[in-house]
Amino acid sequence: MNARVPLSITPEDKARAYDVVARVTNETAGRLAARLAKETRGETLFSAGDRGRYATDASIYQVMPVGVFVPRTVDEARTALDIARDLGVPVIARGGGTSQCGQTTGAGLVIDCSKHVRQLIRVDADRREAVVEPGIVLDHLNAQLKKTGLWYPVDVSTSAQATLGGMAGNNSCGSRSIAYGNMVHNVLGMEAWTSDGALHAFGRFEDATGTARELGERIRQLAEDLAPDIDQRWPKVLRRVAGYNLDVFRNQNERPYTRDGGVNLAHLLVGSEGTLALTKSLTLQLAPLPRHKVLGVVNFPTFYKAMDTAQHIVKLGSDGLLTAVELVDRTMIELSMKNPAFAPTVKAAVIGRPDAVLLVEFAGDDKTALVRKLGELVALMGDLGLPNSVVQLVDEGAQKALWEVRKAGLNIMMSLRGDGKPVSFIEDCAVPLEHLAEYTDQLTQVFRRHETRGTWYAHASVGTLHVRPILDMRQQGAEKMRRIAEEAAVLVRRYKGAYSGEHGDGLCRGEWISWQFGPRISEAFAEIKRMFDPIGLLCPNRIIDPPRMDDTRLMRFPPSYRVIPLKPALDWTAWDVQNDAQTEKATAPGTGGDPAGGFAKAVEMCNNNGHCRKFDVGTMCPSYRVTRDEKHLTRGRANTLRLALSGQLGGEGLLHDEVREAMELCVSCKGCKRDCPTGVDMARMKIEFMAQDARANGTTRRQRLIARLPDYVARASRFAGLLNLRNGIPWLAKLGEKYLGISARRSLPAFRADHFFASGVKSATREQVLSSGRPVVLFVDTFNGYFDSENAHAAFKVLQAAGYTVHVASKEKPDGKHLCCGRTYLASGLVDEAREKAQELIASLHPFAARGIAIVGLEPSCLLTLRDEALALGLGTVAEDVSRHAMLFEEFLAREAANDRLERLRHALRPFEGKLLVHGHCHQKAMGAMPPVMEALKLLPGAKPEPIESSCCGMAGAFGYEAKHIDASMAMAELSLLPAIRAVPDATIVADGTSCRHQIHDGAQREAIHVAKLLADHL
């Protein structure tokens, strides 16, 4: 490989930072990297991959930065500012990188505070105030505040990713702004550095001193001089976030900026998008957590009717209990139905096939009063000619689940396959509620004239609807964007609205500031910028002197964008399609023109929304949760792949070292397959990368040893006693680490001579099971067959006890080997060998699938391969047939129980006593297979299984056994799994995954058992 910049400037690299960086970029970058490395302890990231990963946010734009700095302390951010000023390098502040308009992209030094500068400094519960560092994430803040009974109520949909500094920069709003206002209404003060390095405290104007007071006086004079212009040109709506908040001295907002009508100078920085100062801390106004919430889901036959009704629903809020009125349109409903994580929730909330729904929330301390409000909503809908249109959700769990769908709305809409995507550029126009229906109808007609349609969702309560016309940004998308924007602007002016109502200006709407406010106010904005940042160091060309929104040179897919031809190992043709902007219908798979056979288009499904940065629930992304590094994030990996596939990392394409390093800690958990709203499946993408790498560079001794385990395990089991010496003799373990890279700190699964396949189990024959009235086929995988054989015996016993004729899947022509799904080969990138194994297995199982007989497996990663990767190996319709009948042991039991076919088993099971904790395998979670696990365990009388809320256990097949990964593996386990197990020392632990059980054994010194074993033990 060519010499390149290290992924970060380590202590060893500091002395040569200038040479390395300057050689591949330029002298200024080299000097910048060298000084940052020498004068700080922060992370200095200047490689092509790092810069590329920070060149984008959740917008359509991409601007390559000079470098990236991740400070370890807030004061190191100030040091970086000083160094950048000395060298004349612009500074771009960045939080979660979830901005919609390109605010966090720029050709300067990106300072990312989200990894380390994220502390809750102090809380004053009596005054309902909190002081925080800019990198703290909203959900993390609210989790810490919960014990005080308070929360920060600017409830943005990206609350699991958005940092408070970024929210202040954008003047974020959130779903509940009708009750709580925008960010600007909830910030009490800010400490920030201006570009000269001076630190200022911005707060109440009457308390200001020094430079802050001087700046305030000058801006007050501007406001007084421009009073007629402000009164005439300033939008009179709650949602107005364009330009600077000059009107703090002459309020035009329908909600005063402060409770007493005074002026707070911090509000000048809110919404300034990092162009005026670099934030050190924020003082926030907190609110009491409402004790109860209820939700009414109003179903509408037409979109227009939903929009027209919003103004009437808002009137139900006169008593202060109404907190949100949110729109979900038909497109979002239908796309949600296709997402396994969201479909059950949406089905329970809609009536028939509505064209739109409004989520109407009431919150307060008296639940009875809230239920009455739902009654008023039902009555109102009846009066408006829509009886029986409201689904009432009083249960908190159901409400939370539906709000999660709504929060993911933007990203769900981005899950359309094909080059046509909903594009953000006019989505935040805000108009008075009485004009909302007419505005949306007129804008829909604009879309039709330009042969597209819009996807709609968001804040009906305040007249801000996120609408995104579907455009192909590779083919005349920028031209259409310009024409649609111009026509939309006419409508906004007609209805006296705001062109930028929530997501700010950035690269996308900056040029519309002068259109909105006129030349005099625009010049005043420029004067404010000069006051704070006379040298133009901070986020240049944002708000002041912005570029054209349709400048394709600044876009992620500029005219020069090309994909390097690639012959993929897996079938990606389902992504290789084109779509119709008006009907959203896609062409046939394989017709999209992707030179990478659909792989590039699959990678490009990532729109950088940052949903993978969440920490609360779900599986993804375990490596990011441990490292907090962008390169170890699903988004970061997708960006790395996109950069590589398009030649932006160099001619090596996927074989570039940066791709290998980005993929290094991916544990193939499939969490993204389920949790990513746009369906980015990094586990499958890693297999593709591994396959391409194996083709070009071969495989290691360790990879071959693990991949081919199914081929030699039968022979190896004959020498079980000898091979198992490794676990008891330390020097043998160290020898294995030296020559195979398998950590000496790990115990290895024990070989056994008495494995399941050598035990003489009396399995029914093929003929017997095919003719049986209660047939089932048991697929015993390598791990449960040769290592954890008690699980295979237990499953066989339980199925027989339930009255089934059980056939253990085997080869039609015995050769001394068992059937294998090919999983171990896939994990090493040996796709051709995996295909052979899977083809043999599927051919053996197909006769049973053709007769509708269930194929039951025990190991989630093996059985679920039949429902996932096996369908991408080009094995035809037989693979699809088998996949439809392949199910985990628990799924089979849950299905049979639901159909009243397990009475015999129920009567045979003895009661369970004690506590029961359940850890789900990542693939079970990703494929929606955890509810059946809980149902199967409840077959035991008295059992009350409790799920352990955890991400990946960290073992992830061979990953956790490797010496180079063991620290990361254990760190993943320590996030939540191992602490949860240690907290209940007398509980029975259930874990279906072989790897999971071994991780629990090594990390907690506890034995976990398979569901089948637990059931069998109680027969």
Side-chain angles (χ1 to χ4, degrees):
M1 297 293 176
N2 294 330
R4 60 175 184 81
V5 186
L7 288 186
S8 63
I9 305 298
T10 65
E12 296 75 21
D13 295 319
K14 286 188 175 185
R16 61 189 188 94
Y18 170 79
D19 293 332
V20 174
V21 173
R23 184 170 66 250
V24 295
T25 52
N26 57 57
E27 181 182 356
T28 299
R31 293 170 63 196
L32 180 62
R35 285 196 58 185
L36 287 169
K38 180 180 179 181
E39 298 175 33
T40 75
R41 297 183 301 111
E43 298 168 44
T44 307
L45 311 177
F46 277 71
S47 77
D50 282 315
R51 293 165 54 231
R53 286 185 283 268
Y54 280 86
T56 55
D57 52 16
S59 70
I60 59 175
Y61 298 100
Q62 174 176 304
V63 182
M64 200 64 67
V66 174
V68 179
F69 179 65
V70 182
R72 291 190 177 276
T73 66
V74 70
D75 289 328
E76 286 194 337
R78 151 71 192 276
T79 303
L81 174 67
D82 292 341
I83 294 170
R85 182 180 63 252
D86 291 348
L87 297 174
V89 177
V91 168
I92 295 92
R94 180 179 172 110
T98 61
S99 298
Q100 303 293 323
C101 302
Q103 289 96 323
T104 59
T105 67
L109 176 67
V110 172
I111 299 179
D112 177 3
C113 289
S114 66
K115 183 173 181 178
H116 301 294
V117 185
R118 51 184 176 86
Q119 302 304 309
L120 170 56
I121 299 172
R122 63 178 179 272
V123 178
D124 187 330
D126 293 333
R127 295 170 61 90
R128 296 179 181 173
E129 295 178 5
V131 180
V132 300
E133 291 182 332
I136 193 170
V137 170
L138 176 59
D139 276 358
H140 301 176
L141 170 63
N142 280 332
Q144 294 182 67
L145 292 174
K146 190 173 183 179
K147 61 180 178 290
T148 69
L150 302 170
W151 73 313
Y152 191 64
V154 185
D155 191 24
V156 295
S157 62
T158 54
S159 60
Q161 307 96 264
T163 65
L164 269 297
M167 290 171 61
N170 279 359
N171 191 9
S172 296
C173 305
S175 301
R176 296 175 174 85
S177 60
I178 188 174
Y180 298 104
N182 306 346
M183 194 75 187
V184 72
H185 299 107
N186 294 278
V187 171
L188 298 175
M190 294 176 69
E191 281 188 304
W193 293 285
T194 45
S195 58
D196 60 0
L199 180 64
H200 308 283
F202 296 96
R204 300 280 302 188
F205 180 46
E206 63 266 28
D207 299 330
T209 59
T211 302
R213 179 76 187 194
E214 180 184 341
L215 290 169
E217 294 284 6
R218 293 169 65 186
I219 294 170
R220 179 171 65 176
Q221 187 61 52
L222 280 177
E224 291 177 358
D225 294 345
L226 292 170
D229 295 80
I230 292 173
D231 292 343
Q232 179 184 357
R233 302 296 298 256
W234 216 274
K236 310 298 189 289
V237 292
L238 174 68
R239 296 297 194 92
R240 191 284 309 159
V241 299
Y244 298 126
N245 293 323
L246 177 59
D247 68 325
V248 294
F249 287 102
R250 191 176 184 84
N251 180 54
Q252 303 295 310
N253 197 296
E254 62 185 44
R255 184 188 188 102
Y257 287 124
T258 60
R259 293 179 179 178
D260 62 1
V263 174
N264 191 313
L265 296 180
H267 297 165
L268 293 170
L269 300 185
V270 176
S272 66
E273 301 185 356
T275 61
L276 300 183
L278 184 66
T279 304
K280 181 179 182 182
S281 68
L282 302 98
T283 301
L284 308 174
Q285 179 68 65
L286 308 178
L289 269 169
R291 295 177 60 188
H292 303 287
K293 296 177 183 177
V294 297
L295 188 63
V297 185
V298 189
N299 290 252
F300 292 91
T302 67
F303 182 84
Y304 186 93
K305 183 68 172 176
M307 295 300 90
D308 190 48
T309 304
Q311 60 185 312
H312 304 296
I313 293 177
V314 167
K315 294 175 183 176
L316 295 176
S318 59
D319 52 8
L321 297 179
L322 179 68
T323 50
V325 183
E326 295 289 293
L327 168 73
V328 178
D329 83 341
R330 177 187 61 82
T331 299
M332 182 173 160
I333 292 171
E334 292 181 355
L335 288 172
S336 299
M337 291 288 198
K338 297 177 183 177
N339 187 309
F342 301 136
T345 298
V346 176
K347 287 178 183 177
V350 299
I351 301 171
R353 297 189 72 241
D355 203 43
V357 301
L358 290 178
L359 310 184
V360 183
E361 182 187 81
F362 301 97
D365 294 334
D366 184 350
K367 191 165 188 176
T368 302
L370 301 181
V371 173
R372 282 200 300 268
K373 296 301 293 187
L374 282 181
E376 292 178 25
L377 177 64
V378 171
L380 174 63
M381 291 303 103
D383 294 341
L384 294 175
L386 292 172
N388 304 314
S389 63
V390 181
V391 175
Q392 301 180 54
L393 299 180
V394 178
D395 176 72
E396 291 184 7
Q399 294 178 56
K400 183 179 179 180
L402 193 57
W403 278 117
E404 286 301 315
V405 177
R406 158 60 193 88
K407 281 189 169 189
L410 166 62
N411 304 320
I412 291 172
M413 291 186 177
M414 296 301 290
S415 66
L416 291 173
R417 292 185 182 180
D419 291 344
K421 292 285 194 295
V423 179
S424 170
F425 61 100
I426 57 166
E427 72 168 65
D428 293 316
C429 301
V431 299
L433 273 182
E434 61 267 25
H435 302 307
L436 187 58
E438 190 64 26
Y439 166 72
T440 55
D441 187 60
Q442 292 290 316
L443 195 54
T444 297
Q445 294 180 38
V446 171
F447 297 156
R448 286 178 185 151
R449 285 197 295 274
H450 293 284
E451 300 179 329
T452 187
R453 65 183 298 273
T455 59
W456 303 80
Y457 78 103
H459 318 299
S461 58
V462 288
T464 300
L465 290 180
H466 297 327
V467 54
R468 294 189 167 203
I470 298 172
L471 301 175
D472 181 352
M473 297 310 293
R474 305 172 198 240
Q475 302 289 333
Q476 286 79 52
E479 298 171 16
K480 283 190 176 183
M481 182 173 74
R482 163 65 59 181
R483 294 196 296 269
I484 291 172
E486 290 171 347
E487 293 189 45
V490 173
L491 295 176
V492 171
R493 180 157 287 168
R494 179 188 306 170
Y495 295 115
K496 295 180 171 52
Y499 193 80
S500 184
E502 179 173 1
H503 289 158
D505 300 319
L507 295 168
C508 177
R509 283 191 281 269
E511 66 168 298
W512 296 93
I513 293 174
S514 60
W515 170 91
Q516 180 85 73
F517 295 101
R520 282 168 51 82
I521 293 177
S522 296
E523 176 51 38
F525 289 162
E527 177 60 24
I528 292 172
K529 169 70 171 174
R530 289 191 289 270
M531 291 180 196
F532 280 82
D533 181 23
I535 60 176
L537 187 74
L538 302 173
C539 294
N541 304 121
R542 304 295 191 275
I543 298 180
I544 307 304
D545 299 323
R548 284 175 59 93
M549 66 183 297
D550 55 338
D551 187 341
T552 56
R553 296 170 300 176
L554 303 176
M555 293 184 179
R556 197 180 307 174
F557 299 112
S560 60
Y561 187 85
R562 297 290 184 274
V563 171
I564 299 173
L566 174 76
K567 183 180 179 181
L570 299 175
D571 181 5
W572 297 93
T573 56
W575 285 266
D576 190 15
V577 298
Q578 290 296 347
N579 55 3
D580 185 281
Q582 290 181 296
T583 66
E584 298 173 17
K585 291 182 178 178
T587 61
T591 63
D594 183 356
F599 183 52
K601 288 186 184 292
V603 167
E604 291 159 5
M605 288 297 293
C606 176
N607 72 327
N608 276 353
N609 63 74
H611 192 70
C612 40
R613 292 173 66 96
K614 67 192 181 97
F615 278 73
D616 51 353
V617 294
T619 303
M620 73 171 184
C621 179
S623 51
Y624 173 72
R625 295 184 186 204
V626 168
T627 68
R628 292 182 181 261
D629 289 340
E630 184 73 20
K631 72 177 178 183
H632 293 141
L633 184 63
T634 303
R635 176 179 73 178
R637 293 185 180 109
N639 267 323
T640 306
L641 289 170
R642 178 179 59 81
L643 293 165
L645 286 165
S646 56
Q648 296 182 69
L649 296 182
E652 304 102 317
L654 283 183
L655 301 180
H656 197 284
D657 280 353
E658 296 233 32
V659 180
R660 180 175 294 101
E661 289 164 350
M663 290 294 182
E664 185 70 28
L665 295 188
C666 174
V667 291
S668 300
C669 66
K670 295 185 184 291
C672 46
K673 180 181 177 71
R674 178 177 176 85
D675 293 349
C676 174
T678 59
V680 173
D681 187 350
M682 193 53 60
R684 187 180 291 189
M685 291 175 183
K686 182 174 182 179
I687 292 173
E688 185 64 57
F689 160 71
M690 296 287 287
Q692 298 296 330
D693 188 48
R695 283 179 183 175
N697 302 313
T699 54
T700 66
R701 185 187 298 112
R702 181 184 65 252
Q703 287 175 319
R704 293 191 296 274
L705 181 70
I706 294 169
R708 291 171 182 161
L709 175 65
D711 286 330
Y712 65 77
V713 65
R715 296 191 303 274
S717 64
R718 301 171 191 167
F719 307 97
L722 182 63
L723 292 172
N724 292 337
L725 289 176
R726 181 269 181 200
N727 283 347
I729 301 177
W731 68 264
L732 280 177
K734 291 179 180 178
L735 199 65
E737 180 169 320
K738 180 177 180 180
Y739 289 102
L740 294 174
I742 296 175
S743 175
R745 293 156 56 188
R746 282 287 185 198
S747 65
L748 295 182
F751 286 90
R752 55 198 299 174
D754 62 339
H755 58 78
F756 178 81
F757 295 111
S759 63
V761 171
K762 301 299 182 183
S763 165
T765 65
R766 284 172 171 263
E767 292 72 21
Q768 288 172 331
V769 78
L770 287 169
S771 62
S772 172
R774 288 171 66 85
V776 65
V777 174
L778 180 63
F779 164 46
V780 179
D781 58 273
T782 302
F783 307 102
N784 287 298
Y786 284 96
F787 297 99
D788 296 331
S789 296
E790 60 276 6
N791 297 333
H793 285 294
F796 190 86
K797 180 179 178 181
V798 171
L799 293 172
Q800 280 196 325
Y804 292 93
T805 300
V806 186
H807 169 69
V808 177
S810 59
K811 297 186 178 184
E812 290 189 62
K813 295 181 180 180
D815 60 0
K817 296 181 180 179
H818 65 296
L819 290 167
C820 172
C821 67
R823 163 61 57 187
T824 58
Y825 290 94
L826 288 172
S828 295
L830 300 175
V831 173
D832 291 338
E833 291 88 336
R835 185 179 293 109
E836 291 179 12
K837 292 290 184 183
Q839 188 169 29
E840 181 182 43
L841 174 62
I842 288 168
S844 178
L845 296 176
H846 187 253
F848 308 111
R851 295 284 292 273
I853 298 174
I855 298 156
V856 174
L858 301 172
E859 173 60 37
S861 61
C862 291
L863 185 282
L864 295 174
T865 295
L866 293 173
R867 301 214 307 242
D868 193 344
E869 291 88 354
L871 302 179
L873 292 173
L875 300 178
T877 57
V878 292
E880 296 173 7
D881 291 343
V882 170
S883 75
R884 284 191 288 270
H885 294 88
M887 57 185 66
L888 289 167
F889 176 77
E890 301 84 6
E891 291 179 304
F892 176 73
L893 292 183
R895 186 192 74 176
E896 298 299 279
N899 290 292
D900 297 322
R901 292 198 284 259
L902 289 187
E903 288 309 305
R904 179 172 167 179
L905 179 62
R906 288 182 189 276
H907 290 305
L909 288 169
R910 292 181 288 105
F912 175 87
E913 297 179 0
K915 299 174 182 177
L916 188 58
L917 294 183
V918 184
H919 168 66
H921 187 286
C922 292
H923 295 186
Q924 286 177 305
K925 296 173 185 175
M927 305 292 277
M930 281 307 296
V933 175
M934 309 305 283
E935 291 303 313
L937 288 170
K938 289 176 184 176
L939 292 171
L940 288 170
K944 297 179 180 179
E946 298 179 22
I948 298 173
E949 289 292 345
S950 63
S951 183
C952 179
C953 74
M955 186 63 89
F959 178 88
Y961 289 102
E962 297 174 15
K964 63 180 178 179
H965 292 147
I966 187 168
D967 289 334
S969 170
M970 295 311 301
M972 291 179 199
E974 291 290 355
L975 286 172
S976 53
L977 173 61
L978 297 183
I981 290 173
R982 295 187 191 110
V984 192
D986 57 341
T988 297
I989 312 298
V990 170
D992 283 349
T994 300
S995 296
C996 305
R997 293 193 297 273
H998 282 272
Q999 182 75 306
I1000 292 168
H1001 173 272
D1002 284 358
Q1005 291 75 53
R1006 298 276 291 280
E1007 299 302 323
I1009 64 174
H1010 195 284
V1011 172
K1013 182 69 166 55
L1014 184 63
L1015 292 178
D1017 287 348
H1018 284 75
L1019 284 172

